[in-house]
Amino acid sequence: NWGCKIMRLLRFVSLALILALLSTTIVYALQEAGLPAATNAIEWDYGLGPVFEEASAKYQVPLPLLLALGFYGSTFENRGNAPTIEGGYGVMALRQNDYGGNSLAEAAALTGVSEEDLKVDAALNIMGAAAVLDAYATQFQVDRSAGLDAWLDVIVKYAAIDKIDADNPVPIFSRMFAMQVYELLQDGVNTVNSTGETFYADPQSIGSIDLASLEPPGMKAQPNAGYSGATWYPAATCNYSTASYTKTCVAIHTIEGSASGCLSWFRNCAARTSAHYVISYAGTIWQMVDEWHTAWHVGSANTWCVGLEHEGYMKTTSFPTIMYDKSALCVRDICNRWGIAKKRNPCQKGILGHNDINNCFVGGDHMDPGPGWNWSYYINAVNGTPAAPTWAATYVNQSYPSTMTAGDTAVVWVEFKNTGTGSWTHTASCLGTSSPANRASPFYVSTNWISSSRPSDVDQWQVTTNQVGRYSFVIKAPATPGTYTEKYKLVQNNSTWFGPEVTWTITVKAATGNITGTISNSYNNQPISGASVVVTGGPTVTTNASGVYTISGLAPGAKTLTVTKAGFADQTASVTVTAGATATKNFSLVSTDKTAPTVPANLTAAAISPSQINLTWSASTDSGGAGLAGYIVYRGGSEIGRVTTTSYSDNGLNANTAYSYTVKAYDNAGNISGASNAASATTHIAAVPIFQDGFANLNYWNALVEYPMPAANPAVLANDNHNHAQFPGVNALKTVDSSNGLQGCLTGHTFDIPFGTAKFESWFFDGSGLGYIGQFEESTESWTGMPNSWAEFATISGGTSGKCLRVKDGGWTGGAYKEFTSGFAVGEA
């Protein structure tokens, strides 16, 4: 009976053990690495860049640090409310994990925003992370004016991926996370997320940070089966099975977080998941499970799959080439040892993505490594086949100055032909400084370059295979003279360098400045041409016709200028020359001439109208050196004008008025001669009668017209006390008063006297005082049909100017017809 009991007991125990083992195997078989796809991924309708800038300014957290944490937290992708492998949420992966990380709750407390809103609202998440970092910085008394190395403790605390206790007092993985953040800061952030937004930060100095000191300590013991290029760093034994199976497939995963977070998680029994290998962006490989053993990463396919976890996210748009290359070497070794096909056929065993295995073999919701994984490049790299590179280029042409002056700018460019399969686009395809990579260029122009290490992105919108792309930008010569060697190379997404390196040798000359100015005469401010301007120890220039001088190419500093010109006193002045600028220095020279010009001679004055008198004189000479400048005209002892010629017209005078004039000469030094002889003239009367005589009635008078008289002007009786006739009375016959000589002959009279004899006397006023005997045309002013036209025709005294023309009749026989016409010659008043 005891035997039966014992057998029944053994059968029961065996059955229990079998069921327990089977249950454990089933549990293990269902374990998967990585995290489920994002849920509640509400689309953002705004860019994240301005939010990062606002958060940086508000909480005084360096913008590059915020961007680096955002890159590792999500690669700026929308992951909804799904956690990262570190237990992080949102763009900045605010922590809520089993290690004690509670930055999500801290952000909620600091900002007054709910944890659920912080998970899915990108702007709130970024601001919350900045608030937490600000609080940590205050706690650690970070000097905000110091470098990024002052933030090490803040980053370690923010990472929160270590179980700290007496056995594990050092935050190993949090320090590793900080190491990765500082590596990224040192290289610079430059990535484009799936919405097309670019996130960029210049390469940063990490100061005193020793990256090697932040690496996790390695394990010396190696697994039975594994890749020799990996560092052995085993997962916790609670996270995999030691059951050994032959492997027929390689599974490719993305971590949904950082490599440091993955290593920490696989060593935490709460994970219940693992992979054989973990690979970072930098291509570092850690082996965590022996390949014979069963890592838990693809559910029921765990037994026959070797799993590789890659840093990043399923929604990451691209992965670094070095990660592809290092991972491919590992997979090639795995395939060679296990006889696995080095190809990807989604539903045949070989090299597959987690999504392929789920879709074809076991089911599940994991879709990694995602659409950003370059399978073509990766499989070619595994096979060692030289695949057509995604990023490749050949040199075409370039333009740059071999010599520049310090401070000067120049537009430069370099052209490459795209010989890769990938297309070059704005923001993603850039020209970067090289040798060393990402160095700060001394020719950097902040308003034109992307950053001090990125002169330009490609000019064209897109450059496809075999097309030529141009990278144009502006350079500014540094202030220090010398010969500079600039090296540039193409870089894609700030991580993949490719194509040939171009080298520019540029000689920078010392910057110079200029001096310009005007030289003038202190007496009259007139420009002085031909003056010499000398720079002590430098060039000599001469002023032009406008008195202007310019001296170019002068070294910066104080300069002494000396100006000389014959006939003027020398002048000296100090001028400071500034590089790249033009200083202005004007000079006003004082003449040394003390000799006055000779006195003007032969001054004459002639009245030509009731309001104008013209003057002329003989020229003066000047022997003092300054040169004759002109003449000063005086009327009645007062200056009325200055001229450079030997004549002057004095206008606007009063009619019938006498004026007296003198003239003096002056030179360009202000010396004035004595006065010339005096000359006088009297202006014409304002208007004189063209015709007037003593007839007291209009009998026998007719208006006649004779060239150049424009029209007839009939005589009228005028009671103006000009009765010059032999007959008593006060009336006279008179035409218009005028000063216009073109009125010429205006009035005539004819008369036929019926009685035997008759006599008359007529007077013609001579306003200018000239005699008119010779001005009358005898054929016109004659007696018709008679041999003698008049008994008397003479200029006598008695007119307005003291002269009159008198005509007397000598008599005639009745029946005769007599005529005479009066007038002035053309141009006379």
XYZ file of all heavy atoms in Angstrom, residues 26 495 504 512 590 645 650 732 791:
67
model
N 4.595 28.465 -20.718
C 3.585 29.242 -21.451
C 3.728 30.718 -21.126
O 3.690 31.574 -22.000
C 2.178 28.739 -21.093
C 1.970 27.328 -21.667
C 1.108 29.678 -21.637
C 0.680 26.667 -21.206
N 23.961 63.796 -38.452
C 24.574 62.582 -37.918
C 25.377 61.810 -38.953
O 26.413 61.234 -38.641
C 23.493 61.669 -37.322
O 22.537 61.325 -38.314
N 39.412 74.956 -48.180
C 39.618 76.326 -48.643
C 40.742 76.953 -47.822
O 40.709 76.932 -46.586
C 38.359 77.177 -48.462
C 37.190 76.729 -49.295
C 37.196 75.805 -50.289
C 35.841 77.200 -49.184
N 35.939 75.656 -50.812
C 35.076 76.511 -50.166
C 35.206 78.119 -48.375
C 33.714 76.722 -50.336
C 33.845 78.332 -48.546
C 33.110 77.641 -49.517
N 41.629 97.592 -42.923
C 42.082 98.978 -43.083
C 40.893 99.920 -43.046
O 39.743 99.504 -43.146
C 42.832 99.154 -44.415
O 41.951 98.817 -45.500
C 44.060 98.266 -44.467
N 44.143 129.142 -44.383
C 44.237 130.604 -44.301
C 45.312 131.078 -45.273
O 46.455 130.603 -45.238
C 44.583 131.060 -42.868
C 44.738 132.575 -42.812
C 43.519 130.574 -41.892
N 33.387 139.791 -63.642
C 33.668 140.400 -64.945
C 33.921 141.896 -64.755
O 33.797 142.433 -63.647
C 32.493 140.185 -65.896
O 31.331 140.806 -65.357
C 32.225 138.691 -66.089
N 23.243 148.118 -63.297
C 22.543 148.537 -62.089
C 21.082 148.754 -62.449
O 20.739 149.687 -63.190
C 23.172 149.824 -61.543
C 22.639 150.172 -60.165
O 22.003 149.290 -59.550
O 22.882 151.298 -59.700
N -2.095 172.284 -76.240
C -1.141 171.793 -77.231
C -1.715 170.523 -77.850
O -2.555 169.837 -77.275
C 0.201 171.490 -76.601
N 11.443 176.588 -93.140
C 12.245 177.779 -93.039
C 13.341 177.567 -92.016
O 14.439 178.115 -92.146
C 11.382 178.987 -92.668
